[in-house]
Amino acid sequence: GDSVTQMEGPVTLSEEAFLTINCTYTATGYPSLFWYVQYPGEGLQLLLKATKADDKGSNKGFEATYRKETTSFHLEKGSVQVSDSAVYFCALKNSNSGYALNFGKGTSLLVTP
Amino acid sequence: NAGVTQTPKFQVLKTGQSMTLQCAQDMNHEYMSWYRQDPGMGLRLIHYSVGAGITDQGEVPNGYNVSRSTTEDFPLRLLSAAPSQTSVYFCASRSGVSTDTQYFGPGTRLTVL
């Protein structure tokens, strides 16, 4: 079945450092890909999405490109802030599996001043 | 709009007790779902509904029941609570089955002793 694999955390970075969180997927067909963010004590929020190959999703300085050839959707940010500390989830939605949203296990990011 | 609301925020149960976690949305969304979040496991789908009167099982449905009598409400019932059901539960909704953006409630933290 469909699945998402993302790098294990926690990831600790200094403010203004470059961030990469790796995400790869396994799916039949052409899934939509997402990054969700969960701030402490809150529910998940959609951060960005891409619905077809080579699409780039972007929001709040974060970017991710849908790479069908490597089945990847890595999250990047050029300069992280303390306020970016959160748990980040990669997810996919696929018509072949009833449009359910399948999540990775999450990557915890801590940004220190 | 209140978005997706969940009650209660916290709950402690004894093994064998039953309870209902409430979820409501005021966005007239057709698709609603329940997830549980456990450390190191990400979010796993329990049950989902594509519209009033229609529900289906997700990845981990055992021990849980749902019903969808109205578009707005999607309660999750624990029939006989077990310690393995200690988790954080999130309700989510989106406007349709194929819609990309999914909205999450703030979560219910459940402890079963």
Side-chain angles (χ1 to χ4, degrees):
Chain A
D2 297 346
S3 66
V4 173
T5 302
Q6 56 183 113
M7 62 187 286
E8 303 232 353
V11 174
T12 302
L13 294 174
S14 298
E15 205 165 24
E16 299 184 2
F18 184 86
L19 168 71
T20 300
I21 300 178
N22 290 338
C23 171
T24 57
Y25 68 90
T26 301
T28 57
Y30 304 95
S32 296
L33 302 174
F34 307 87
W35 278 100
Y36 277 80
V37 59
Q38 183 181 30
Y39 297 104
E42 297 183 10
L44 279 71
Q45 305 172 25
L46 179 63
L47 180 60
L48 54 84
K49 66 178 183 180
T51 58
K52 60 183 188 297
D54 300 324
D55 268 2
K56 178 186 283 188
S58 61
N59 186 23
K60 299 181 181 180
F62 291 89
E63 293 183 340
T65 301
Y66 189 145
R67 302 285 188 201
K68 188 166 173 60
E69 64 275 12
T70 54
T71 62
S72 64
F73 192 56
H74 305 320
L75 182 68
E76 297 181 336
K77 186 175 186 182
S79 176
V80 294
Q81 306 300 312
V82 171
S83 57
D84 294 326
S85 298
V87 181
Y88 293 82
F89 292 89
C90 188
L92 70 82
K93 180 166 65 70
N94 196 351
S95 61
N96 292 351
S97 57
Y99 295 99
L101 203 59
N102 287 305
F103 287 89
K105 294 184 178 181
T107 302
S108 176
L109 170 67
L110 176 64
V111 181
T112 58
Chain B
N1 281 353
V4 180
T5 58
Q6 293 182 236
T7 56
K9 288 185 71 72
F10 301 94
Q11 183 70 49
V12 179
L13 292 178
K14 295 180 179 178
T15 296
Q17 287 185 315
S18 63
M19 80 158 295
T20 299
L21 307 185
Q22 301 292 344
C23 174
Q25 52 88 12
D26 61 359
M27 298 173 282
N28 201 32
H29 285 174
E30 291 294 326
Y31 188 99
M32 297 184 73
S33 52
W34 277 101
Y35 291 85
R36 58 177 290 172
Q37 182 179 29
D38 302 293
M41 300 293 289
L43 277 81
R44 293 181 291 171
L45 183 65
I46 304 171
H47 285 285
Y48 65 96
S49 168
V50 299
I54 306 169
T55 64
D56 207 346
Q57 297 180 353
E59 181 185 357
V60 288
N62 292 342
Y64 307 95
N65 272 1
V66 292
S67 60
R68 185 94 180 271
S69 56
T70 67
T71 299
E72 295 77 20
D73 300 300
F74 191 44
L76 178 72
R77 296 182 185 84
L78 282 70
L79 305 175
S80 177
S84 60
Q85 294 177 305
T86 294
S87 187
V88 180
Y89 292 85
F90 289 99
C91 180
S93 75
R94 61 184 196 246
S95 61
V97 170
S98 58
T99 307
D100 286 333
T101 303
Q102 183 152 292
Y103 298 87
F104 283 80
T108 294
R109 183 175 294 275
L110 175 68
T111 301
V112 183
L113 303 175

